[in-house]
Amino acid sequence: MNNSALIKKVMVVDDEPDTLELVKLVLESGGFETVLAASGMEALASIVNTKPDLVLLDIMMPDMDGWDVFRKIKEKYPEMPIAILTAKAQNIDKLLGLHVLKADDYITKPFGKNELINKVKKLTGLE
Amino acid sequence: MSSLRFKIIISTLFIILLIVTGSYVVIQDIQSGIIEGEFRDKGLLLANNLAAQVTTPLLVNDLIEIRSSIKNNKNNYPDIEYVYVTDSEGIVLVHTFENGFPKALQEMAKPSNFIDEHVFNTENGIIHEFDAPLFKNIGYVHVGVSENMVRAQILEASRKLLLLAVSSVFLGGLFAYFIGRKLTEPIEKLTEGANRINKGILDKSIDINTKDELGELAKTFNEMALSLNQKINDLISAKEQTESAEKYLETLFNSIKDGIIVVNTSHEIIKTNKSYLKIMGLGEEQVLGRTCHEIMYGTGKDLKEICSIDNLMQKNENIRFVHEIEVSGTTKILDLSCSAFTDINKNDNIILVIRDITQQKLLEEENIAFYNNIKYLKEFNEEILNNVNLAIHVVDKDMNILAVNDELVRLSRGRIKKEVVINKNLYEVYPFLKEKRANMEYEHVIKTGEIFLSEEKTQYYDEIIYTSTSKIPIKDKNGNVEKIITVIQDVSDRKKLEEELKDSYEELKLTYSKLNELYKLKDNFLSNISHELRTPLTSVIGYTELMIGENITSGQRHKVEIILRNSKRLSRLIRALLDTTLIESNNLQLDMQTVDINELIMLVAEDLKTMASTKNLPIIIEVPHLVTRGDRDRLMQVFSNILDNAIKFTITGEIRITAGVENESVHIKISDTGVGIPEDKVERVFDRFYQMDSSSTRKYGGTGLGLWISKNIVEAHGGKIWAESKNRGSTFHILLPKPVKK
């Protein structure tokens, strides 16, 4: 329990296994614990037990769109910070994410290692 | 006192004096004669009375009686000086002398000396002795009477007479005065009147009302004064009229626009008005006394012959001519009109009226040019009218054809003959017009005065033609339509073309929508492809970065770093490609938020510091915490682009980033000590796909889009970006508007 207070838990939702592993490796190198989900359904299922400090959410996913996942998580856990991690770099997407859905951040792919770690630190309240 | 009155009085007085003096002398003479005669008669009577008294006593010789008679007489008549009586012998018988008989008388007592009267002087005055003989000369009585009494009587009478004369003279004087006055008063009045007339006082009449000659004279005088006054008044009024006329003429003379001069027989100008001086641009002193031809034709030449004035004087007629003259550099055209006249001093003069007709001439010339122009235009219009490919006819408001042009004849394929249709009714010539309801259109045009435009398809004889028709009303000055010009264009060919065009247009429209679709497709494709490209690239970059953090050999590290660098470059390229699409489709949207310029610069520099450190280039950052509003990522993209370029084009030296606030804008400067930009290209570096030269592409890489995108981003922020370079090193300036704090 003490650990959970010191080591922040980040849920990563992405349909791309390579990306999932990359984010896991990067965040672990930054000292974070990660929970991985390969789809929206999986994420929604596991979030009940894992209760992460932050969700990194991909948008373009088969079956369930990232926005749907976002809404569903926020319905249950309105206080849970969710950052969008996506390859959709067009501003319209970013504006939608940040201002309409009130995402806590919007990180575009490809991301720099340090950039990601810094942002996650900020979002989990470590900085 | 008037001398005439004086003269009359003096002369009258003189005459009166003469008469009175004469009368006085005569009357006195007569009176004294009478008195003396009376005295003598009385004396003789006394003597004879006494002689009768004493005759008897003497006869009886009674001397006493004699004596008493004498004594009685002597007492009765005190004048008696003495009495004595003698006898016939002259012996004194009785006497009254107290002192004896005077010897002086003894001689006279003798009868021989007897006379009626003896006069002699005694010491008691003159004595008259009257003698009277007695009866039968027996004796004589002698009575001596003193003249003194008589003298006193005469003197008394004389005094009375003198008094009378003096009174007469006094009365005469008065009379003379009144006569003189009476006579001279009217004359004086006349004189006064004459003096008044002389002095010019004519309104007072002479007050003489007598019916004599003077009265007549005064009346005549008064009438004369009256008529004189009338004449003088007439003269004054005539003079005033003349003066007024002169003034009027003078004013007219000077105010008239035409120049007027008066010249004498020697051609010298003796009078000029102001207009003449103005026309000639001369002063009065430059004109007066000079000859008119000298002024008109110039000095130094004997041009008297040129001047037609002499001719004019001889023939005594008016002449008129036009003369050109140079006045202070400009040519003036003058219209001269000369007429002769003789002035009051019998001098022959010429009046010249000079009118400046330069403007008028110019206007005339302009008018001629204008007229020619109109004539040309008319011909030109007719030419156009008949050669234009518009059929035109003109009708009056009763639809009678007034004119048609050649094209109308052509349009009718020769069926309508110009000469035949003129003055015919339009509907008679074109029976089908009524079927086409053209008559209603014409009625509309006449009623509203508006142009009526229409297009129609007409079965024109045996062919179908398309026409475009304009019915144009021509209004009279009251605004009523009096004529209608109909312009008919055969648009059959155009119609065909239109049909073809319509087809082409539809085709084009289709192509355009297809293209549009394709364009959208391209955007979508680019958007999607970029996403698809990014996903594998994320892995490539991510894992490469992880590898660098791991324990690998320096040879491996070098290779991994190359992979990372190129992956990042690929990532940037993809982003630039996407941005270009966004900019082109005007979809560059900014996420405006509060940004700290220092933070952004630090992040960008952090990202690029590996690249700079490999080239040993220090990045010096002197940027304070400047807070403004902007799109965080986009601004970082701009700074990153410029900083990347700076590092890329700099071999040695340093890169310096400074920032400050200027005029409510944030001014960021990124300077390098690199190769710099040639002066003529400094403005073109922001052009799309711009590369300094093909060699630099190879050497430095890049798409040529970075600065163009940066420029678009900065401008979308409402800011400015520009470069400055002096061959060695360049400075990029970014100016971002800083929102006013509220």
Side-chain angles (χ1 to χ4, degrees):
Chain A
M1 276 299 155
N2 276 351
N3 274 2
S4 68
L6 293 169
I7 302 164
K8 297 289 180 182
K9 196 190 283 172
V10 181
M11 173 181 273
V12 187
V13 189
D14 204 310
D15 62 322
E16 195 74 39
D18 288 351
T19 311
L20 267 183
E21 202 194 330
L22 175 66
V23 177
K24 177 183 180 279
L25 288 172
V26 170
L27 290 181
E28 278 172 1
S29 79
F32 293 96
E33 189 190 331
T34 53
V35 179
L36 304 180
S39 72
M41 300 297 277
E42 206 182 311
L44 288 173
S46 96
I47 201 165
V48 185
N49 301 319
T50 48
K51 297 253 179 73
D53 296 298
L54 172 71
V55 180
L56 291 179
L57 182 64
D58 185 24
I59 296 297
M60 301 266 278
M61 287 186 293
D63 301 333
M64 194 184 270
D65 182 74
W67 301 127
D68 289 339
V69 181
F70 181 92
R71 267 193 294 273
K72 290 209 161 117
I73 296 172
K74 281 285 178 184
E75 267 170 31
K76 261 187 179 169
Y77 311 101
E79 300 299 316
M80 186 171 292
I82 304 172
I84 308 294
L85 182 71
T86 177
K88 287 194 83 164
Q90 274 174 299
N91 270 33
I92 186 79
D93 297 312
K94 186 179 165 188
L95 290 176
L96 198 71
L98 281 175
H99 300 293
V100 180
L101 292 173
K102 308 271 187 237
D104 295 275
D105 207 346
Y106 192 97
I107 304 159
T108 52
K109 296 179 200 169
F111 48 83
K113 184 185 155 195
N114 292 336
E115 182 199 352
L116 183 66
I117 290 169
N118 286 338
K119 281 197 170 172
V120 170
K121 272 185 182 167
K122 206 180 263 176
L123 287 163
T124 52
L126 289 178
E127 256 180 34
Chain B
M1 169 78 96
S2 100
S3 62
L4 184 65
R5 185 186 287 194
F6 183 72
K7 276 178 198 161
I8 286 172
I9 290 170
I10 288 298
S11 359
T12 313
L13 210 61
F14 179 71
I15 289 163
I16 287 168
L17 209 63
L18 212 64
I19 291 166
V20 169
T21 312
S23 307
Y24 174 75
V25 170
V26 171
I27 288 169
Q28 202 196 28
D29 196 43
I30 291 168
Q31 200 176 33
S32 49
I34 290 167
I35 290 169
E36 274 171 19
E38 276 178 5
F39 177 68
R40 199 169 287 119
D41 290 347
K42 196 182 168 185
L44 280 174
L45 189 67
L46 206 64
N48 285 319
N49 277 346
L50 206 57
Q53 279 176 26
V54 290
T55 302
T56 315
L58 196 53
L59 284 172
V60 284
N61 216 7
D62 187 357
L63 291 174
I64 294 161
E65 185 61 37
I66 295 168
R67 241 178 229 129
S68 107
S69 287
I70 291 166
K71 213 173 189 163
N72 278 342
N73 273 302
K74 203 183 174 230
N75 286 340
N76 285 342
Y77 300 99
D79 301 358
I80 296 170
E81 275 294 320
Y82 63 88
V83 180
Y84 67 94
V85 182
T86 60
D87 60 14
S88 55
E89 299 299 322
I91 304 282
V92 179
L93 302 171
V94 177
H95 73 88
T96 59
F97 299 106
E98 288 170 11
N99 301 326
F101 193 80
K103 285 182 183 160
L105 294 177
Q106 278 174 358
E107 196 55 38
M108 281 198 302
K110 291 173 179 169
S112 54
N113 284 333
F114 179 84
I115 47 166
D116 290 345
E117 189 178 0
H118 299 276
V119 181
F120 54 89
N121 277 317
T122 65
E123 51 195 5
N124 293 324
I126 298 164
I127 304 285
H128 291 245
E129 192 194 280
F130 301 100
D131 297 346
L134 299 179
F135 184 71
K136 305 261 187 175
N137 290 342
I138 57 166
Y140 299 93
V141 172
H142 300 262
V143 179
V145 182
S146 170
E147 205 189 59
N148 285 350
M149 278 288 272
V150 178
R151 285 289 150 215
Q153 241 175 28
I154 287 170
L155 207 65
E156 179 61 29
S158 218
R159 205 160 41 232
K160 278 179 183 165
L161 199 63
L162 194 65
L163 199 69
L164 193 72
V166 168
S167 332
S168 295
V169 167
F170 178 71
L171 283 171
L174 270 176
F175 173 75
Y177 175 75
F178 282 113
I179 285 289
R181 206 176 125 173
K182 190 79 180 165
L183 275 174
T184 55
E185 202 175 45
I187 292 168
E188 272 166 21
K189 280 184 179 174
L190 277 171
T191 313
E192 259 172 54
N195 274 336
R196 278 204 301 272
I197 290 166
N198 192 30
K199 282 176 189 163
I201 304 162
L202 297 168
D203 50 350
K204 265 189 171 174
S205 57
I206 300 165
D207 181 27
I208 302 172
N209 295 318
T210 53
K211 289 198 171 166
D212 54 6
E213 292 86 342
L214 277 171
E216 279 298 310
L217 186 61
K219 205 176 145 196
T220 314
F221 230 104
N222 284 340
E223 278 165 9
M224 190 181 82
L226 206 68
S227 96
L228 205 58
N229 197 16
Q230 185 61 42
K231 273 180 186 145
I232 285 167
N233 282 341
D234 287 354
L235 263 174
I236 288 167
S237 117
K239 199 185 162 206
E240 278 169 0
Q241 274 176 19
T242 312
E243 277 170 359
S244 152
E246 260 174 30
K247 220 175 203 172
Y248 171 73
L249 274 177
E250 188 68 23
T251 312
L252 194 71
F253 185 65
N254 274 323
S255 62
I256 203 160
K257 222 181 124 197
D258 293 339
I260 301 172
I261 51 170
V262 180
V263 299
N264 60 14
T265 41
S266 319
H267 296 201
E268 284 162 0
I269 297 170
I270 55 174
K271 194 167 167 62
T272 169
N273 74 344
K274 283 171 184 160
S275 296
Y276 179 71
L277 301 174
K278 204 178 157 195
I279 290 169
M280 301 305 292
L282 294 169
E284 196 168 21
E285 70 287 346
Q286 290 172 286
V287 169
L288 292 182
R290 287 175 69 195
T291 62
C292 59
H293 50 262
E294 189 183 328
I295 287 173
M296 286 298 185
Y297 299 99
T299 29
K301 294 173 201 167
D302 186 17
L303 291 157
K304 208 178 171 190
E305 308 82 58
I306 294 178
C307 206
S308 358
I309 285 173
D310 291 334
N311 203 11
L312 172 71
M313 291 221 184
Q314 283 158 16
K315 288 189 180 164
N316 194 25
E317 59 188 21
N318 295 357
I319 53 166
R320 221 177 140 174
F321 60 95
V322 171
H323 176 63
E324 274 187 27
I325 187 169
E326 194 95 352
V327 176
S328 51
T330 54
T331 305
K332 282 195 176 180
I333 305 165
L334 305 179
D335 178 343
L336 290 98
S337 166
C338 322
S339 22
F341 84 104
T342 308
D343 68 10
I344 20 171
N345 302 324
K346 303 282 177 201
N347 292 324
D348 286 329
N349 287 329
I350 302 283
I351 286 186
L352 286 101
V353 179
I354 299 105
R355 178 171 292 187
D356 186 351
I357 54 164
T358 318
Q359 290 297 324
Q360 197 185 321
K361 279 275 167 193
L362 279 173
L363 220 64
E364 269 171 30
E365 276 165 28
E366 265 175 36
N367 277 347
I368 289 165
F370 186 66
Y371 170 76
N372 285 338
N373 208 9
I374 282 178
K375 211 170 123 192
Y376 165 73
L377 275 175
K378 201 182 161 222
E379 285 164 5
F380 183 67
N381 277 347
E382 270 170 24
E383 195 72 11
I384 288 176
L385 201 66
N386 282 325
N387 290 300
V388 80
N389 61 349
L390 295 169
I392 298 169
H393 66 70
V394 183
V395 293
D396 63 16
K397 59 180 190 311
D398 299 321
M399 294 297 130
N400 293 318
I401 297 170
L402 301 173
V404 298
N405 74 340
D406 291 352
E407 179 63 19
L408 194 85
V409 177
R410 270 201 291 279
L411 188 70
S412 75
R413 312 292 184 254
R415 287 185 187 87
I416 286 171
K417 299 269 183 297
K418 250 187 184 179
E419 326 62 69
V420 176
V421 296
I422 298 293
N423 289 331
K424 276 200 178 159
N425 191 282
L426 185 72
Y427 304 127
E428 196 182 310
V429 177
Y430 295 102
F432 55 82
L433 281 178
K434 279 204 169 171
E435 292 161 30
K436 304 291 285 184
R437 292 173 166 260
N439 53 335
M440 288 171 83
E441 290 167 13
Y442 278 115
E443 273 162 29
H444 177 81
V445 170
I446 291 168
K447 209 166 130 191
T448 61
E450 286 168 2
I451 295 175
F452 193 92
L453 301 174
S454 59
E455 289 206 352
E456 52 277 302
K457 185 181 172 188
T458 310
Q459 179 74 42
Y460 198 75
Y461 301 103
D462 51 358
E463 59 184 314
I464 287 174
I465 61 164
Y466 293 90
T467 49
S468 167
T469 307
S470 312
K471 298 181 177 72
I472 304 156
I474 304 293
K475 293 171 192 171
D476 62 14
K477 58 186 175 183
N478 298 323
N480 299 320
V481 176
E482 58 170 3
K483 287 172 194 166
I484 301 163
I485 298 177
T486 309
V487 181
I488 306 152
Q489 191 177 10
D490 184 352
V491 291
S492 305
D493 292 346
R494 201 187 76 193
K495 276 280 167 191
K496 264 181 232 165
L497 213 69
E498 258 176 28
E499 293 295 326
E500 281 168 27
L501 264 173
K502 215 170 169 182
D503 292 347
S504 313
Y505 174 73
E506 288 300 325
E507 225 169 278
L508 265 172
K509 219 165 129 185
L510 204 70
T511 316
Y512 177 76
S513 70
K514 271 183 193 166
L515 265 174
N516 241 0
E517 234 165 82
L518 273 174
Y519 199 74
K520 266 183 204 160
L521 220 61
K522 182 208 81 174
D523 278 1
N524 276 340
F525 172 74
L526 267 172
S527 174
N528 287 334
I529 201 76
S530 77
H531 177 253
E532 293 307 319
L533 285 170
R534 270 157 203 264
T535 308
L537 207 56
T538 308
S539 292
V540 175
I541 292 168
Y543 286 104
T544 319
E545 272 185 335
L546 283 173
M547 270 179 84
I548 287 169
E550 278 163 18
N551 203 7
I552 50 173
T553 63
S554 63
Q556 283 170 330
R557 184 176 297 273
H558 177 66
K559 285 164 196 155
V560 172
E561 271 173 0
I562 288 169
I563 296 170
L564 184 64
R565 199 166 63 234
N566 281 287
S567 308
K568 281 191 175 170
R569 191 174 153 196
L570 189 60
S571 168
R572 279 203 302 277
L573 277 171
I574 293 163
R575 187 168 181 177
L577 212 62
L578 200 65
D579 286 347
T580 307
T581 318
L582 287 176
I583 290 165
E584 273 183 345
S585 59
N586 263 335
N587 268 327
L588 187 71
Q589 276 155 333
L590 300 176
D591 171 29
M592 297 299 276
Q593 50 194 292
T594 306
V595 290
D596 181 348
I597 298 296
N598 172 274
E599 188 202 337
L600 302 186
I601 296 283
M602 294 308 267
L603 283 170
V604 170
E606 176 67 27
D607 202 33
L608 293 168
K609 90 179 165 201
T610 338
M611 193 179 147
S613 60
T614 52
K615 290 177 95 173
N616 272 326
L617 287 172
I619 298 173
I620 300 155
I621 300 167
E622 291 165 350
V623 179
H625 289 277
L626 294 169
V627 176
T628 181
R629 280 185 73 79
D631 186 315
R632 196 183 162 83
D633 286 355
R634 288 300 187 187
L635 288 178
M636 276 172 74
Q637 194 185 344
V638 171
F639 299 147
S640 175
N641 267 328
I642 292 163
L643 196 57
D644 188 59
N645 277 343
I647 296 164
K648 210 189 282 176
F649 291 104
T650 308
I651 299 153
T652 53
E654 57 170 40
I655 288 152
R656 186 180 290 268
I657 308 172
T658 59
V661 176
E662 277 173 25
N663 299 330
E664 291 174 9
S665 287
V666 178
H667 190 172
I668 302 132
K669 293 180 208 168
I670 300 169
S671 312
D672 62 53
T673 53
V675 293
I677 310 157
E679 213 172 325
D680 56 328
K681 287 171 179 166
V682 93
E683 279 179 24
R684 293 192 53 205
V685 294
F686 296 100
D687 288 358
R688 192 176 173 185
F689 301 125
Y690 178 77
Q691 298 281 353
M692 273 200 288
D693 51 58
S694 52
S695 67
S696 70
T697 317
R698 254 176 286 129
K699 197 169 169 187
Y700 304 108
T703 53
L705 288 169
L707 287 178
W708 178 71
I709 290 166
S710 301
K711 184 175 181 258
N712 277 285
I713 291 169
V714 172
E715 282 172 0
H717 276 84
K720 260 170 82 180
I721 183 167
W722 72 97
E724 208 177 56
S725 180
K726 279 171 187 149
N727 283 326
R728 194 80 203 142
S730 354
T731 303
F732 279 77
H733 298 262
I734 300 157
L735 215 54
L736 291 171
K738 189 174 160 64
V740 183
K741 276 178 193 164
K742 283 173 189 169

